[in-house]
């Protein structure tokens, strides 16, 4: 099996063949999730703890469902409401967790690097469910699976990632993954929302949607991450929508069969036209949600196999 990691912290640590291993296994879980009987025992006897230090609806639900479908005992810890506000450090949290003996720990944290730090201190497998502006590996994997199923391949595609790149861990993980799989990546957005040094990632940068979208196969829209902005990055939402919001007119520059993606939650009328987002002939936003559960099942299954082989060898 080509996946030997103890944790899933970021796409930056994965080789292309490991990405393919996750996606291939996820395909099997797509079938299971569509069946009447949705249960497997891949994680039977294991404990999964979801620790979200930042708000999340869909990602937390997706991980919870994934764990339950694989037979794990799943527990959600609402960290915002608890110890973090009482001043507990991340290291203390790790010590507490170790005493509870979880096998899989799913963590979302507002600070880039916090999940890596936690992974060094706990005895279980850690999955990064989004850390600051750094990485969101399962999002990039679910996006990759969605693209591969819609386009029949995951290489040599023209892919546009549009909007608030600077604050987006989704963009960062996708740029790394799609680059590793040898796609041509264009970033489109206002210069104020482009991260410094982005050219080093081997991408093309545009501040004009019509030009940037020319002949692309995939249009990936991003949410304006207001919670990470401290000041005026855009003149107004109305103006932003006018220049960078995806509507049918702008999409007409892309290939006729280009697909539209959005990681959610989306702001209709700010980064994307609501009718376009709901157009099942162009938008694969619902497929992304479906692929999310399957990819998270695959990732946790692979980590659990590695965990068991280490325990077996000890
Ligand atoms: N849900 C994604 C994330 O956690 C995207 C977003 O919030 O805009 O990064």
């Amino acid at each position: 099996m080509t996946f030997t990691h103890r944790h899933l912290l970021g796409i930056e640590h994965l080789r292309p063949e490991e990405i393919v291993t996750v996606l291939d296994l996820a395909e099997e879980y797509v079938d299971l999730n569509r069946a009447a009987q949705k249960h497997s025992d891949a994680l039977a006897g294991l404990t999964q703890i979801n620790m979200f230090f930042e708000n999340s609806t869909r990602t937390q639900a997706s991980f919870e469902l994934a764990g339950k479908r694989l037979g794990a005992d799943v527990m959600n810890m609402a960290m915002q409401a608890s110890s973090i506000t009482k001043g507990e450090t991340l290291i203390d949290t790790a010590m507490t967790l170790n005493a509870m003996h979880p096998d899989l720990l799913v963590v979302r944290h507002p600070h880039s690097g916090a999940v890596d730090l936690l992974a060094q201190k706990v005895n279980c497998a850690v999955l990064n469910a989004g850390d600051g502006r750094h990485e969101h590996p399962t999002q990039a994997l679910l996006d990759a699976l969605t693209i591969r199923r819609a386009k029949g391949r995951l290489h040599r595609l023209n892919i546009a990632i549009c909007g608030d790149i600077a604050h987006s861990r989704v963009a960062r993980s996708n740029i790394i993954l799609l680059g590793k799989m040898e796609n041509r990546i264009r970033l489109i957005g206002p210069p104020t929302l482009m991260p410094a040094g982005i050219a080093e990632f081997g991408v093309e940068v545009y501040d004009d949607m019509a030009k940037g979208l020319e002949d692309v196969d995939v249009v990936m829209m991003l949410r304006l991450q207001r919670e990470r902005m401290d000041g005026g990055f855009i003149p107004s939402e109305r103006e932003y929508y006018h220049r960078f919001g995806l509507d049918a007119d702008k999409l007409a520059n892309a290939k006729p069969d280009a697909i539209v993606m959005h990681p959610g939650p989306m702001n209709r009328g700010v980064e994307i036209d609501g009718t376009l987002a709901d157009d099942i002939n162009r938008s694969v936003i619902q497929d992304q949600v479906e692929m999310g559960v399957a990819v998270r099942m695959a990732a946790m299954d692979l980590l659990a196999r590695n965990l068991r082989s280490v325990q077996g060898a000890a």
Side-chain angles (χ1 to χ4, degrees):
M1 190 185 65
T2 334
F3 190 93
T4 51
H5 300 273
R6 178 160 178 229
H7 308 294
L8 178 62
L9 299 176
I11 300 295
E12 59 190 333
H13 308 296
L14 301 185
R15 288 178 282 122
E17 58 271 30
E18 292 175 320
I19 293 168
V20 172
T21 298
V22 179
L23 301 189
D24 289 350
L25 182 58
E27 287 284 2
E28 292 177 28
Y29 285 126
V30 173
D31 294 339
L32 180 75
N33 291 338
R34 288 182 181 184
Q37 163 59 264
K38 301 174 178 56
H39 226 259
S40 132
D41 58 4
L43 301 184
L46 300 185
T47 302
Q48 171 191 336
I49 299 184
N50 298 333
M51 280 182 109
F52 281 66
F53 293 90
E54 200 184 69
N55 264 337
S56 165
T57 311
R58 71 190 58 222
T59 306
Q60 185 171 332
S62 183
F63 268 109
E64 184 176 350
L65 198 55
K68 286 183 170 163
R69 291 215 172 133
L70 296 181
D73 294 313
V74 186
M75 195 182 81
N76 292 314
M77 283 171 89
M79 296 310 290
Q80 275 184 317
S82 84
S83 31
I84 192 166
T85 48
K86 297 181 187 159
E88 183 176 272
T89 67
L90 208 52
I91 307 303
D92 287 334
T93 306
M95 304 312 275
T96 306
L97 279 167
N98 278 338
M100 294 184 188
H101 299 290
D103 303 285
L104 296 152
L105 184 63
V106 179
V107 189
R108 169 168 289 190
H109 201 283
H111 298 150
S112 307
V115 183
D116 290 46
L117 180 69
L118 203 57
Q120 289 166 26
K121 306 287 174 194
V122 294
N123 301 326
C124 60
V126 175
L127 291 102
N128 181 0
D131 65 322
R133 306 173 185 194
H134 180 226
E135 281 240 33
H136 192 353
T138 56
Q139 176 73 47
L141 289 163
L142 76 87
D143 288 338
L145 186 60
T146 308
I147 295 171
R148 194 174 80 168
R149 288 170 67 98
K151 293 283 146 202
R153 66 180 200 275
L154 190 57
H155 59 275
R156 273 190 252 127
L157 292 166
N158 291 334
I159 300 173
I161 305 178
C162 315
D164 184 1
I165 317 279
H167 301 99
S168 176
R169 54 195 173 211
V170 175
R172 198 166 177 282
S173 287
N174 264 303
I175 292 167
I176 300 171
L177 189 154
L178 296 168
K180 284 187 192 218
M181 305 312 280
E182 296 180 8
N183 294 285
R184 198 165 149 196
I185 303 168
R186 301 182 191 171
L187 305 182
I188 315 174
T192 46
L193 294 178
M194 282 294 160
I198 194 66
E200 287 160 30
F201 281 84
V203 294
E204 296 164 42
V205 179
Y206 293 84
D207 66 358
D208 180 298
M209 286 287 272
K211 281 198 197 115
L213 289 180
E214 233 166 70
D215 281 332
V216 302
D217 301 284
V218 177
V219 186
M220 196 180 280
M221 301 308 297
L222 299 170
R223 184 173 64 87
L224 268 184
Q225 312 245 311
R226 291 230 175 254
E227 73 278 20
R228 298 194 207 292
M229 296 182 191
D230 48 2
F233 284 82
I234 56 163
S236 71
E237 285 187 350
R238 204 160 151 258
E239 173 139 342
Y240 182 82
Y241 181 67
H242 176 67
R243 288 198 58 202
F244 297 100
L246 187 69
D247 57 14
D249 281 351
K250 295 192 188 88
L251 184 63
N253 294 285
K255 285 193 182 151
D257 62 350
I259 55 168
V260 174
M261 307 177 75
H262 193 300
M266 72 189 148
N267 297 307
R268 290 169 184 261
V270 178
E271 64 253 354
I272 190 164
D273 169 59
T275 312
L276 181 57
D278 296 333
D279 178 355
I280 52 165
N281 296 314
R282 305 308 297 271
S283 161
V284 293
I285 295 172
Q286 292 306 315
D287 302 76
Q288 289 174 272
V289 179
E290 182 183 3
M291 296 310 123
V293 180
V295 150
R296 291 174 177 123
M297 289 166 85
M300 291 198 289
D301 180 354
L302 290 165
L303 292 177
R305 291 185 205 187
N306 293 343
L307 206 67
R308 288 190 168 119
S309 70
V310 173
Q311 283 162 352

